[in-house]
Amino acid sequence: KSDIDENELKRLTVLANNIANNINQIAHRANVTNKVYKEDIEDIKSLADQLIQPLLFLQSKCLQLKH
């Protein structure tokens, strides 16, 4: 049986919050300027890439708890 470390959850929460804030800043800039920049799209993709591995790790831990 594999336990989920509380620190892992805290780190994931902080990462998700930081990413959400960055995406909100990009969305705000897009609304103000009425333009979406290539760099902003690349930033969003990069932020999503940063989040996917920790989420997949958490998913695997949760699935281990079910069995």
Side-chain angles (χ1 to χ4, degrees):
K1 190 172 176 176
S2 184
D3 292 332
I4 298 175
D5 184 336
E6 188 175 335
N7 288 329
E8 292 169 353
L9 289 176
K10 286 180 183 178
R11 283 191 296 272
L12 183 56
T13 300
V14 168
L15 178 62
N17 284 335
N18 288 341
I19 289 170
N21 287 336
N22 289 345
I23 291 173
N24 283 337
Q25 290 173 359
I26 291 169
H28 176 74
R29 181 169 51 242
N31 285 325
V32 168
T33 64
N34 210 25
K35 295 180 183 178
V36 177
Y37 297 94
K38 180 180 177 184
E39 294 81 13
D40 290 340
I41 300 300
E42 290 169 359
D43 286 346
I44 290 172
K45 287 180 181 178
S46 173
L47 293 168
D49 287 344
Q50 290 176 42
L51 191 55
I52 192 69
Q53 285 304 321
L55 285 175
L56 290 172
F57 174 75
L58 180 60
Q59 179 187 38
S60 71
K61 292 272 196 159
C62 289
L63 290 172
Q64 289 173 11
L65 291 174
K66 285 176 60 176
H67 299 293

